[in-house]
């Protein structure tokens, strides 16, 4: 197996941290990206003996500089990228705001695409891999979290085009999870109920998502593919987001 140096965005907490731990266990070297979660990032970096880098993904004019700092922290080329960082705020038409649309597009779509391009521009990388984290909502849309969903649709399209543009040297694929961790103001009981609203009737778990990411980083012959790690949640149609399951 190829051991990659992998920049994992949003790696300080939640799904990103699970991915970083899985990659380290599988022989990769994660680079821990964070923005505001310095304490969590430092603890994880010490746990995994991994370098770390700070950067605000909403400031897309600084993405190239962020990638350069990641290379410096790693002490060499970065040949893997997991675009896990995501901003997730509620809105639903017609109550949408221009500022929120712009912010979530920057973090959830533009920054990942720019980071993938920065990885591909490295002259000392002959074989690289990018994995974008999407959402099962791409196959099962509803109007809740509208700006977030629009950005994820944009990232899905970008993943396809990047796979075409950067291949064969750089593999670009994606993972689309279902509801994996508590979101927003969900209570424990609400999450427990919502997490089983899928074809298998059981929670997905961050470990399953991390396993799929690790697989795609070294998979041969896969380009522009999206793996749905959702226990079949995308086949369970709803008028609103599943995270609201169980609320009056």
């Amino acid at each position: 197996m190829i051991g990659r140096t992998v920049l994992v965005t949003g790696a300080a907490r939640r799904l990103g941290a699970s991915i970083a731990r899985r990659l380290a266990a599988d022989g990769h070297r994660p680079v821990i990206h964070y923005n505001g979660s310095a304490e969590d990032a430092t603890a994880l970096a010490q746990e995994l003996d991994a370098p770390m880098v700070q950067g605000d993904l909403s400031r897309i004019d600084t993405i190239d500089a962020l990638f350069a700092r990641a290379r410096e922290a790693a002490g060499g080329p970065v040949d893997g990228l997991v675009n896990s960082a995501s901003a997730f705020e509620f809105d639903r038409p017609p109550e949408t705001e221009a500022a929120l649309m712009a912010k979530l597009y920057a973090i959830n779509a533009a920054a990942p695409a720019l980071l993938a391009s920065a990885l591909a521009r490295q002259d000392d990388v002959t074989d690289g891999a990018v994995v974008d984290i999407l959402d099962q909502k791409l196959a099962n849309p509803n109007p809740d979290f509208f700006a977030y969903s629009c950005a994820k649709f944009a990232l899905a399209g970008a993943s396809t085009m990047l796979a075409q543009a950067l291949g064969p040297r750089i593999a670009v694929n994606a993972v689309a999870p279902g509801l994996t961790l508590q979101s927003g103001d969900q209570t424990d009981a609400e999450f427990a109920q919502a997490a089983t609203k899928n074809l298998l009737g059981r929670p997905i778990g961050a470990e399953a998502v991390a396993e799929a990411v690790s697989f795609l980083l070294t998979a041969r012959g896969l380009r522009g593919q999206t793996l749905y790690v959702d226990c079949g949640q995308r086949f369970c149609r709803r008028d609103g987001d599943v995270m609201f399951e169980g609320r009056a």
Side-chain angles (χ1 to χ4, degrees):
M1 185 193 78
I2 300 172
R4 297 194 182 281
T5 298
V6 186
L7 174 61
V8 182
T9 66
R13 301 174 61 246
R14 292 173 60 83
L15 181 58
S18 295
I19 291 170
R21 288 189 175 98
R22 175 60 188 250
L23 296 186
D26 286 350
H28 300 292
R29 185 185 183 215
V31 179
I32 309 301
H33 163 264
Y34 70 98
N35 184 22
S37 302
E39 185 175 343
D40 291 328
T42 300
L44 183 62
Q46 291 174 347
E47 173 191 335
L48 302 180
D49 190 24
M52 53 189 283
V53 62
Q54 189 275 338
D56 183 352
L57 299 183
S58 70
R59 298 182 56 195
I60 58 175
D61 59 328
T62 66
I63 295 300
D64 286 349
L66 166 60
F67 194 86
R69 293 197 305 276
R71 267 189 64 107
E72 182 178 1
V78 176
D79 62 347
L81 169 65
V82 179
N83 284 309
S84 178
S86 183
F88 186 70
E89 298 181 36
F90 182 80
D91 66 334
R92 182 181 174 110
E95 304 303 324
T96 58
E97 297 181 0
L100 182 62
M101 293 284 288
K103 172 187 171 183
L104 298 195
Y105 178 79
I107 295 171
N108 296 344
L114 291 169
L115 285 169
S117 294
L119 182 148
R121 287 196 299 270
Q122 297 173 104
D123 293 335
D124 48 2
V125 171
T126 59
D127 175 68
V130 176
V131 179
D132 292 323
I133 303 299
L134 303 176
D135 195 297
Q136 65 83 34
K137 286 170 72 77
L138 298 178
N140 184 20
N142 61 69
D144 285 350
F145 297 96
F146 179 74
Y148 163 85
S149 300
C150 285
K152 289 296 186 180
F153 274 108
L155 180 56
S159 293
T160 297
M161 291 183 286
L162 286 166
Q164 295 169 320
L166 304 184
R169 188 169 63 93
I170 308 297
V172 182
N173 294 288
V175 173
L179 180 65
T180 306
L181 299 167
Q182 280 179 259
S183 300
D185 60 352
Q186 268 186 322
T187 66
D188 291 344
E190 288 169 345
F191 175 73
Q193 182 173 355
T196 61
K197 296 299 179 180
N198 54 58
L199 288 187
L200 299 185
R202 61 174 175 80
I204 296 158
E207 296 79 8
V209 179
E211 179 183 20
V213 170
S214 184
F215 164 71
L216 286 176
L217 280 172
T218 56
R220 296 297 181 183
L222 294 182
R223 294 294 190 276
Q225 297 293 320
T226 297
L227 298 184
Y228 282 84
V229 183
D230 66 345
C231 291
Q233 184 185 330
R234 68 192 182 280
F235 300 122
C236 303
R237 302 295 180 183
R238 298 179 56 84
D239 294 330
D241 196 271
V242 70
M243 72 165 282
F244 300 122
E245 184 74 27
R247 298 189 180 184

